[in-house]
Amino acid sequence: MPAYLIIYPAGQRRDDMHLEDNQLTVDFNQGWAIFRDSKGVCLSLPAELGAMVQRVDEEPEDRAPAQQKE
């Protein structure tokens, strides 16, 4: 499932956001990060905000690192 973490610079006093949706997509276009879901645009961020957008999908169990035996 696509998930994104949006981290704002500390000086902006904004809470970081975690977006998660089966149909969530993001496009970077002309200085904007535009998030869309099944209903259309749900969030757009201008580059001037200085926010960092990071994809943070969870690893499926079959792809997670195996536990080491002692």
Side-chain angles (χ1 to χ4, degrees):
M1 173 180 318
Y4 296 90
L5 179 62
I6 301 169
I7 302 170
Y8 293 97
Q12 292 188 9
R13 297 184 181 178
R14 294 176 184 241
D15 292 333
D16 296 342
M17 296 174 63
H18 183 258
L19 303 174
E20 187 173 330
D21 188 325
N22 282 334
Q23 298 178 3
L24 188 65
T25 62
V26 63
D27 295 310
F28 298 96
N29 191 354
Q30 298 180 355
W32 288 82
I34 303 168
F35 293 86
R36 291 181 174 88
D37 63 10
S38 61
K39 296 178 183 175
V41 174
C42 57
L43 177 68
S44 56
L45 300 169
E48 291 84 22
L49 280 180
M52 182 175 71
V53 177
Q54 183 177 29
R55 189 166 174 160
V56 292
D57 298 345
E58 290 185 24
E59 286 285 329
E61 288 186 28
D62 60 341
R63 293 194 62 204
Q67 293 182 352
Q68 296 180 355
K69 295 181 181 178
E70 293 183 19

